[in-house]
């Protein structure tokens, strides 16, 4: 990972040189609570008071969460036995430039739309080759659809899920570019109609990418020039974890 | 909070202007696992597999944690009924310049040593008045003492705790300066011999400061010039939560 980390640092430093002209922060994180739409069948959140203001003079809770709830991080261990866990990523691998590929047009017509090789090619014709050390974020517009599971994941059950993601051919192209992570504004980096998770498997091993799911506010990011911060807690053995994610965005 | 946020943004932008000369990142976060030393009597971590590589083809766990475990964030709600929760802080309130007050010398002689008004005065004589919009971090050297509860918190039971923190008079001075948060490399911002938590209470209301506990690597930060990122997940109603914290540090 050391070679990759030095590439990431170089890409990050180049991006911050641009940000030194002025930036704003954009929060990409949704609130996590008992109303959050989880993967169908996932264990629900449980929240129990340990001490209370009335009885003890202060308040603290015991919080039980599926590691993949809300805006969250996926570690390679999620799909690769013995893969890197949530605690093992250097902070230098978690502050990275990010490009945003907007497929919201075709996603409006097809809820299982994916980022395809042509989307990457069109993006690169306009913005140049996606540099090594970047993350790639898919903007589908799905973050506005959380009023119901039917709207956000296309189903009220555990089958017939529908939501956009990355296609496996485009994911392979991005691995070849040397990207370090993928992110989506939907429930998963694989689309709803791919229950075997081919993209999760393709990018987790051997490339060792991390992923971010259930992001929001991606429409506030530029196509290039943003830097995202992936604030995943250092959970020993974590296959993933709820995470604060935000972006530095150049001021116009 | 809007007035304070604009102060924080101005302070942050000034700090990033210096960082544009080059920076490195310093992780201030410890790994959180079943070996982590918790507040005595706090509910232990529980980690259960929900799905496994062998049975399901991928791995995910259900993670149960006290909200105040490991390197973590304290929200005002922890000590103030109806106070701001972990989800309610704008990202602009969580990326802030930080000064480091080093009391490791007197802490080596007294495990309940605290930051006193004189420590603030001596610091400000050398570095200037601590600006509004900054966080203040206490360096006691305690992060190296996690080999046992006896070493880190001075007790193997629930009483006679011993560890450094902030004193209430210094905390009041810092509130008057307009600081936005406090952090320590010990189990609590109040020292071990103050079980009534006067500093927690003083700074949580009405000033609404957040706190960070169980930080590490503070000896790698400069006295001034660093910017910390407080990546607390947006937990609805959270009195606190395990958090990734790191710093931008100017290159020398």
């Amino acid at each position: 990972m050391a070679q990759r980390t030095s590439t990431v640092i170089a890409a990050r430093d180049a991006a911050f040189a641009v940000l030194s002209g002025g930036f704003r922060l954009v929060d990409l994180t949704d609130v996590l609570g008992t109303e959050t739409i989880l993967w169908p069948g996932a264990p629900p959140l449980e929240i129990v008071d340990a001490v209370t203001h009335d009885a003890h003079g202060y308040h603290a809770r015991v919080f039980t969460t599926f590691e993949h709830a809300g805006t969250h991080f996926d570690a390679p261990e999620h799909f690769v036995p013995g893969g890197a866990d949530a605690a093992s990523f250097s902070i230098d691998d978690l502050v990275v430039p990010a490009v945003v590929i907007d497929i919201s047009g075709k996603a409006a017509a097809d809820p299982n739309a994916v980022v395809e090789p042509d989307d990457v090619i069109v993006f690169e014709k306009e913005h140049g080759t996606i540099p090594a050390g970047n993350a790639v974020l898919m903007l589908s517009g799905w973050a506005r659809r959380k009023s119901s599971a039917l709207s956000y994941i296309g189903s009220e059950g555990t089958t017939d899920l529908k939501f956009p993601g990355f296609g496996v051919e485009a994911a392979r192209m991005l691995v070849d570019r040397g990207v370090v992570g993928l992110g989506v504004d939907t429930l998963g980096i694989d689309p709803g109609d791919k229950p075997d998770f081919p993209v999760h498997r393709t990018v987790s091993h051997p490339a060792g990418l991390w992923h971010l799911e259930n992001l929001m506010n991606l429409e506030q990011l530029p196509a290039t020039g943003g830097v995202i911060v992936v604030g995943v807690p250092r959970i020993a053995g974590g296959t993933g974890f709820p995470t604060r994610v935000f972006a530095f965005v150049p001021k116009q």
Side-chain angles (χ1 to χ4, degrees), chain A:
Chain A
M1 208 123 81
Q3 174 58 40
R4 189 168 76 187
T5 299
S6 66
T7 301
V8 172
I9 292 174
R12 177 192 83 200
D13 286 352
F16 269 98
V18 175
L19 290 166
S20 69
F23 64 81
R24 63 193 175 89
L25 303 182
V26 176
D27 205 336
L28 308 180
T29 317
D30 206 353
V31 173
L32 176 60
T34 52
E35 307 295 306
T36 299
I37 298 170
L38 302 181
W39 192 268
L45 295 192
E46 291 179 25
I47 306 169
V48 177
D49 280 334
V51 292
T52 63
H53 290 299
D54 283 350
H56 306 86
Y58 59 105
H59 185 204
R61 313 184 304 176
V62 176
F63 196 90
T64 298
T65 182
F66 188 53
E67 288 180 326
H68 303 269
T71 303
H72 73 273
F73 181 86
D74 278 1
E77 166 63 20
H78 189 29
F79 274 84
V80 183
D85 67 9
S88 65
F89 282 84
S90 152
I91 194 65
D92 284 315
D93 292 311
L94 298 171
V95 180
V96 301
V99 305
V100 179
I101 297 182
D102 181 351
I103 64 162
S104 57
K106 68 180 181 183
D110 172 10
N112 284 313
V114 295
V115 177
E116 295 170 290
D118 270 0
D119 296 304
V120 177
I121 290 166
V122 167
F123 180 93
E124 292 190 330
K125 273 194 181 148
E126 183 171 354
H127 300 287
T129 303
I130 296 168
N134 274 235
V136 178
L137 309 178
M138 175 201 75
L139 167 60
S140 71
W142 247 242
R144 293 192 203 92
R145 299 171 66 122
K146 290 178 184 163
S147 56
S148 70
L150 190 60
S151 174
Y152 190 55
I153 62 174
S155 173
E156 292 176 328
T158 59
T159 57
D160 289 324
L161 306 184
K162 298 178 197 71
F163 53 81
F166 281 89
V168 71
E169 293 83 4
R172 285 197 193 107
M173 283 178 72
L174 296 172
V175 167
D176 287 345
R177 297 284 187 275
V179 309
V180 294
L182 300 181
V184 294
D185 59 355
T186 64
L187 190 65
I189 60 163
D190 281 287
D193 65 353
K194 292 287 184 294
D196 290 336
F197 307 115
V199 172
H200 279 85
R201 294 182 197 285
T202 295
V203 305
S204 294
H205 183 78
L209 272 63
W210 46 253
H211 330 134
L212 299 168
E213 295 171 336
N214 300 308
L215 295 169
M216 59 186 286
N217 294 335
L218 293 182
E219 71 282 359
Q220 297 183 36
L221 301 195
T224 67
V227 174
I228 61 166
V229 173
V230 180
V232 60
R234 296 188 67 200
I235 304 297
T239 68
F241 211 71
T243 292
R244 190 67 168 258
V245 185
F246 68 94
F248 290 83
V249 172
K251 268 194 184 148
Q252 291 172 351

